[in-house]
Amino acid sequence: MSTPAPFTPPPTSPTPLTLWRRWWGKQSPSRQDRFITLGPLLAVVLFLAAVIAAFGYLRIEEIDREQQAVKRDVEYAQQRLRLRLLERQEQLMRIGRDVSNKEVNSEGFILQAEALVNQYPELMAVSWVDSRRRIRVTYVSPSAHASQIRAKGDLLKVGETDGTYDLARELRQPVYSRPLVTKEASGYNAPTLQLQVPLDDQGKFAGVIMGEFSIDGLLRFGVPTEVTAKYAVTLIDDKNQVLAGNLPPPRNRAAHLLPWSSNAAEYEIPVSPVGNGLLIRAEGYRASLGVVGSGFFWLVSALSALTVWMLLGTWRHTRRRVQAQQALISETNFRRAMENSMLTGMRALDLLGRITYVNPAFCQMTGLTEAELVGCTPPFPHWPESEFETMKARLDDELHGRTPPGGFEIRVKRKNGQLFDARMYVSPLIDPRGRQTGWMTSMTDITEPKRIREELSASYERFTTVLEGLDAAVSVAPLGSVELLFANRLYRSWFAGDADGHMNLIAQAGVPSTAPTDDALDAVDGLAGLPTDGLTAAQSENAEIFVPELGKWLEVRSRYLTWVDGRLAQMVIATDITPRRHAEEQAAQQNERAQTASRLITMGEMASSVAHELNQPLTAINNYCNGMVSRIKSQQISNEDLLVALEKTARQAHRAGQIIQRIRAFVKRSEPNRTPADVATLVSNAMELADIELKRHHVRLSHYIAARLPQIMVDPILIEQVLINLMKNAAESIAHAHLPTARRSVELRVVPKQMEGQNVVEFSVLDTGHGLSPEVMPRLYEAFYSTKAEGMGIGLKLCRSIVESHQGRMDAGNLYNGDEVVGCRFTFWIPVTPLISSAPAATDNVAIKDAGVH
């Protein structure tokens, strides 16, 4: 019997530390010592190289900053010098203007020059030089050297002004000279600067005002002290010769041995307005530590840097460990806080169906604690007893991965026995190695959302029931598409639920709609992205149309709205108005009959007057005929006399025929017909008929018709009826007033006017009766109200209705002479261009409705 082999553990891969130890053991001692020695040295060298490079970079930046500072300060000093010279130039020019204008004499010049020199120390002398280079007046500063003093009458030498005198005479502008250096035998060297300001005497050169500046004074009083305190400032000429100022002290020669040594920062710039002949230069002061000081500094710096480097290494290592621990703690706390703040219940199951984890939200939903749930096996305490079998089947589906991705609804029992609806989602629980260790379940309480959904469903059902029961067809369709989004019962019964009915209603009603495009056929909203607030907030549009397929008149109302999916849609509501249209047609017929009856009544009231008017031409015809018969029988008439008598008879017959024709046209029944009418012709026809009634009452008729009146779109017979009624009423009012014949008059005025922002023609009828009483005024247009015993009370009401059907207005009022009523005035106006109506006859129907005739 063989003995079993000893147990051999499986081989493991070596760690990096093991590999390091193996490599280190294979090295020789000398090589190990060299590595130990050179390793830190190499680290120190690398560190020193980095420090030196950083120092060099900082040194370069420092030099650049110093150079920029010098440049900025020198430019600032140059600006100060420039402003100081320009101020002196302006003052000398002011003196030159006074001299040129002969406003000052020699004494005045001396006073101004003395004040200027004493106030500004850099100005050494101010001289008045005539056109022959001779000094007329001069004032020299008391601090000036004796060599700088010029006497009155001295002549300027050619080289004494460096040519600026001639240049000022040619240019006629102030000119600065180059710096002038005068070396005296006494050793005095005083560089000066001259400014020549030309004088003008009526266009001729009259000399110059010469100002002499001390360059040393310009440096001392023109350069700011904060600049001279930081730099060695000098004024030099274009040959680099120092005119004023001091050079900086020489540097230590040992400082040049340092590799980082550099010259002090300096900068120079010409002084404006003098030009390149005078420059200002500044050089910074610099102190050096020397070789010893620098060496000690770098030794300390190196040791400090090495110590800091070692400390930083230790600190970095410790900090990394602390950061890792803090990150781990923060991550753990964050995950715990996230789990505790979630409103969704989380539950973890192992592969056997045992609860391994629950979050606080799950415990809050069920009312059970974590200890009561973790470790439980089916049946779980939150399962309802009546649904154990269903819940077991659900759990089996969970453990075998057969749950739907969208989750499933279950009923859950709380600890107090209350049930609630929940939706659960299941997903596999995977560990870091990728192996499944269980199932993670999330649970959401859907009791309230489910209740709201049920209420919304019930509300939708009620709303649909209301829409289905409406006596109007309601349909909704998106713009640019033939899809029908909604249609109620009546619409479906009329149009069989087809979208063509919706589109036909829109087309017949004249409501703009968009034709289908390729995008619409691809189910893409072509109006997506357009602003819809203005459309959906607009008022609905109404139209009345006749649908031959249905044999009905429909009132179509439409408006835009935003559908539930965000598309812009159009809702159409069609109401059956066929009975109303029939009633309106009957009302129109009644209105026409009422107007005809009113005209017949008017003619009946005027019958006696018409008979009297017709009796005159008939009597004349009879007399002419009898006379002609008698003279023919007695053969006492010639052909010429017979022709004259026949012509007179024909004129009387024509006159009678015209009267009958006017009456026949007035009372003839006809359909309302609005045509462009001439106002003068219309008024003339009405006056011929009304004048018959006015003559019966012994009333005089006068009229005024404005020239060039525009045509108006009216029914001439209706407007003539209004005018005849108003003039007839005026004559009756005058007759009832029992006025003398001289005061019996009616006036008709027709003039153009502007009313309510439109051009109108105004008709006015004025009488001289007793006017309208206060109790009659409010009931003037009331139907069946009349102040005459034989009146029907529809005349004025019908007149106003006719005027308003032509988009006009009617008004009445008394005429006063002081406080006394001396008559009445009825006025109405008709617009020249009336509003366009879709059914002109329908507007005329308003007359019968307003008149109250049924």
Side-chain angles (χ1 to χ4, degrees):
M1 188 173 181
S2 60
T3 59
F7 173 75
T8 303
T12 59
S13 59
T15 62
L17 182 59
T18 303
L19 294 175
W20 167 257
R21 289 176 178 176
R22 291 177 184 176
W23 180 83
W24 184 257
K26 294 178 182 180
Q27 306 301 320
S28 61
S30 59
R31 181 172 292 182
Q32 291 178 357
D33 293 339
R34 190 181 302 111
F35 183 81
I36 293 173
T37 303
L38 295 179
L41 181 61
L42 180 61
V44 171
V45 170
L46 293 176
F47 177 75
L48 287 177
V51 171
I52 292 173
F55 179 80
Y57 173 77
L58 295 176
R59 178 59 183 150
I60 292 172
E61 283 194 340
E62 181 182 3
I63 293 174
D64 184 68
R65 286 195 300 271
E66 291 177 355
Q67 186 65 32
Q68 293 295 329
V70 171
K71 181 180 178 181
R72 183 172 56 254
D73 292 337
V74 170
E75 289 177 350
Y76 171 66
Q78 188 263 358
Q79 289 294 328
R80 291 288 297 273
L81 281 175
R82 176 177 175 274
L83 292 175
R84 198 168 184 91
L85 287 172
L86 290 177
E87 289 176 0
R88 304 297 86 73
Q89 175 183 328
E90 180 64 24
Q91 292 167 343
L92 293 177
M93 291 175 64
R94 190 178 301 114
I95 295 176
R97 284 192 297 270
D98 294 340
V99 171
S100 298
N101 297 332
K102 298 180 180 180
E103 296 178 359
V104 296
N105 53 14
S106 299
E107 289 78 11
F109 177 85
I110 291 293
L111 292 177
Q112 293 187 18
E114 180 181 4
L116 193 62
V117 170
N118 292 336
Q119 185 176 0
Y120 303 104
E122 72 272 15
L123 189 60
M124 302 302 298
V126 177
S127 303
W128 178 1
V129 184
D130 61 12
S131 60
R132 293 173 297 182
R133 294 177 178 269
R134 189 175 302 279
I135 297 176
R136 295 187 57 180
V137 183
T138 183
Y139 180 83
V140 182
S141 173
S143 61
H145 193 264
S147 61
Q148 297 177 333
I149 300 175
R150 291 184 177 86
K152 178 179 180 182
D154 289 351
L155 187 66
L156 292 178
K157 299 178 180 179
V158 176
E160 192 175 1
T161 62
D162 193 33
T164 55
Y165 181 89
D166 297 332
L167 190 60
R169 178 171 55 188
E170 293 176 3
L171 299 178
R172 300 294 178 90
Q173 292 182 356
V175 179
Y176 286 89
S177 70
R178 299 166 60 85
L180 302 176
V181 181
T182 305
K183 295 183 179 180
E184 300 294 334
S186 60
Y188 177 77
N189 184 8
T192 59
L193 182 70
Q194 291 183 359
L195 171 61
Q196 308 279 352
V197 178
L199 299 177
D200 185 78
D201 184 10
Q202 296 181 356
K204 297 180 180 180
F205 178 75
V208 298
I209 299 297
M210 183 176 67
E212 297 179 84
F213 297 88
S214 170
I215 295 181
D216 182 72
L218 287 175
L219 177 64
R220 286 190 292 116
F221 300 104
V223 178
T225 56
E226 60 267 24
V227 176
T228 57
K230 295 188 334 186
Y231 308 100
V233 183
T234 57
L235 292 175
I236 61 176
D237 58 10
D238 54 352
K239 299 178 181 179
N240 209 23
Q241 180 180 357
V242 177
L243 302 176
N246 297 320
L247 294 175
R251 299 178 58 196
N252 186 3
R253 293 182 178 180
H256 292 282
L257 300 177
L258 298 176
W260 56 82
S261 175
S262 63
N263 296 326
E266 65 178 11
Y267 184 75
E268 66 182 33
I269 186 174
V271 177
S272 176
V274 178
N276 295 328
L278 181 64
L279 296 89
I280 180 172
R281 174 191 292 172
E283 183 176 353
Y285 296 107
R286 180 176 295 280
S288 176
L289 296 176
V291 178
V292 178
S294 299
F296 179 74
F297 170 79
W298 283 112
L299 178 61
V300 173
S301 299
L303 293 177
S304 301
L306 183 60
T307 304
V308 170
W309 177 69
M310 296 175 64
L311 292 176
L312 286 176
T314 305
W315 171 77
R316 187 179 298 109
H317 178 71
T318 304
R319 188 184 62 175
R320 287 177 179 175
R321 292 188 59 183
V322 172
Q323 288 177 347
Q325 293 177 359
Q326 291 178 349
L328 181 60
I329 294 173
S330 299
E331 183 70 17
T332 303
N333 293 336
F334 173 75
R335 291 181 177 273
R336 177 63 63 181
M338 183 174 61
E339 294 173 0
N340 294 338
S341 61
M342 288 181 61
L343 299 179
T344 301
M346 305 297 295
R347 181 192 68 181
L349 301 176
D350 59 13
L351 296 176
L352 299 178
R354 184 185 300 108
I355 297 177
T356 59
Y357 166 78
V358 290
N359 71 338
F362 191 92
C363 297
Q364 184 178 2
M365 289 182 185
T366 59
L368 301 171
T369 63
E370 184 179 359
E372 293 173 335
L373 291 172
V374 174
C376 289
T377 57
F380 298 131
H382 57 274
W383 284 1
E385 291 80 358
S386 60
E387 301 182 10
F388 272 179
E389 297 301 326
T390 304
M391 300 300 287
K392 286 181 180 180
R394 289 287 189 184
L395 180 61
D396 186 67
D397 292 341
E398 290 184 46
L399 297 178
H400 291 84
R402 295 193 295 264
T403 56
F408 54 89
E409 292 186 11
I410 62 171
R411 293 181 64 81
V412 181
K413 183 183 71 173
R414 292 191 173 94
K415 188 175 182 179
N416 57 7
Q418 183 182 1
L419 300 179
F420 67 92
D421 296 313
R423 176 172 288 274
M424 301 191 74
Y425 302 88
V426 182
S427 59
L429 188 61
I430 308 300
D431 65 1
R433 298 182 180 180
R435 296 180 299 181
Q436 182 177 354
T437 59
W439 300 90
M440 177 61 70
T441 304
S442 61
M443 183 175 67
T444 306
D445 186 357
I446 62 171
T447 303
E448 186 64 17
K450 188 174 182 180
R451 182 188 64 81
I452 295 175
R453 185 167 59 251
E454 292 175 352
E455 291 181 356
L456 288 176
S457 178
S459 176
Y460 173 77
E461 184 176 355
R462 291 192 297 270
F463 180 70
T464 305
T465 301
V466 172
L467 289 181
E468 292 290 337
L470 286 177
D471 57 353
V474 182
S475 60
V476 181
L479 287 182
S481 175
V482 295
E483 176 189 1
L484 194 62
L485 299 177
F486 175 81
N488 69 343
R489 177 187 55 79
L490 187 57
Y491 180 90
R492 295 193 300 270
S493 66
W494 283 353
F495 303 103
D498 191 2
D500 293 339
H502 178 91
M503 306 304 291
N504 291 336
L505 290 177
I506 293 176
Q508 293 186 45
V511 180
S513 180
T514 304
T517 60
D518 294 338
D519 293 338
L521 297 177
D522 295 336
V524 176
D525 188 0
L527 299 174
L530 294 179
T532 60
D533 296 341
L535 287 175
T536 56
Q539 297 294 329
S540 61
E541 303 178 16
N542 299 352
E544 295 181 1
I545 63 174
F546 181 75
V547 181
E549 296 82 357
L550 302 176
K552 299 177 181 295
W553 280 93
L554 301 181
E555 181 184 20
V556 180
R557 290 170 291 172
S558 70
R559 70 170 301 150
Y560 297 97
L561 52 86
T562 303
W563 196 243
V564 292
D565 57 1
R567 287 185 293 174
L568 183 61
Q570 192 172 20
M571 179 177 65
V572 175
I573 302 174
T575 306
D576 185 4
I577 60 170
T578 304
R580 193 188 76 188
R581 290 297 295 240
H582 291 165
E584 290 177 352
E585 292 174 0
Q586 294 177 2
Q589 296 173 2
Q590 293 178 4
N591 178 38
E592 182 182 349
R593 288 194 294 269
Q595 292 173 0
T596 304
S598 176
R599 291 195 292 271
L600 290 174
I601 291 171
T602 301
M603 286 294 99
E605 293 174 349
M606 296 170 58
S608 61
S609 300
V610 171
H612 177 73
E613 189 70 16
L614 286 174
N615 187 48
Q616 292 180 1
L618 293 178
T619 301
I621 292 172
N622 184 44
N623 292 335
Y624 284 132
C625 290
N626 291 333
M628 285 186 292
V629 170
S630 299
R631 295 182 66 181
I632 289 174
K633 286 180 179 181
S634 60
Q635 296 181 353
Q636 295 180 356
I637 186 170
S638 63
N639 291 336
E640 291 78 6
D641 294 338
L642 180 61
L643 181 61
V644 172
L646 289 176
E647 288 177 351
K648 293 181 179 180
T649 303
R651 282 198 296 270
Q652 294 297 328
H654 179 70
R655 176 186 173 192
Q658 281 186 330
I659 295 173
I660 295 174
Q661 183 66 24
R662 292 293 182 201
I663 296 173
R664 182 176 179 275
F666 182 71
V667 300
K668 180 182 178 182
R669 179 177 178 179
S670 62
E671 295 294 329
N673 181 23
R674 294 191 185 181
T675 58
D678 181 68
V679 177
T681 303
L682 187 148
V683 173
S684 177
N685 293 339
M687 288 174 57
E688 286 186 15
L689 291 178
D691 192 46
I692 298 174
E693 181 69 9
L694 268 64
K695 288 180 179 179
R696 186 172 70 88
H697 293 289
H698 306 288
V699 176
R700 183 178 65 260
L701 175 62
S702 62
H703 66 278
Y704 170 77
I705 303 176
R708 295 187 297 275
L709 287 174
Q711 290 188 339
I712 56 178
M713 185 68 68
V714 295
D715 188 327
I717 297 299
L718 295 180
I719 300 303
E720 289 178 14
Q721 180 179 353
V722 174
L723 289 173
I724 291 172
N725 277 338
L726 294 181
M727 289 187 287
K728 176 175 169 293
N729 289 343
E732 292 175 350
S733 175
I734 293 174
H736 292 162
H738 303 292
L739 297 174
T741 304
R743 294 181 54 189
R744 292 171 174 254
S745 65
V746 172
E747 181 182 2
L748 174 61
R749 297 181 60 84
V750 184
V751 294
K753 275 196 174 183
Q754 277 275 343
M755 302 294 291
E756 300 181 0
Q758 58 182 332
N759 295 325
V760 302
V761 176
E762 184 184 70
F763 301 82
S764 301
V765 178
L766 298 84
D767 63 57
T768 57
H770 286 330
L772 300 172
S773 60
E775 61 272 10
V776 172
M777 189 69 72
R779 305 184 63 184
L780 191 61
Y781 301 106
E782 184 177 332
F784 305 112
Y785 173 77
S786 176
T787 57
K788 296 180 290 185
E790 68 280 4
M792 294 180 62
I794 64 172
L796 287 178
K797 180 64 176 178
L798 194 60
C799 289
R800 190 179 72 168
S801 300
I802 292 173
V803 171
E804 291 180 351
S805 70
H806 288 80
Q807 290 89 43
R809 296 290 182 271
M810 190 172 186
D811 191 17
N814 290 326
L815 300 176
Y816 292 90
N817 184 8
D819 295 334
E820 180 185 1
V821 177
V822 294
C824 178
R825 174 175 57 196
F826 277 84
T827 303
F828 69 91
W829 54 262
I830 303 295
V832 175
T833 55
L835 299 176
I836 298 175
S837 176
S838 59
T843 59
D844 296 330
N845 298 342
V846 180
I848 187 64
K849 296 179 183 178
D850 292 341
V853 178
H854 302 283

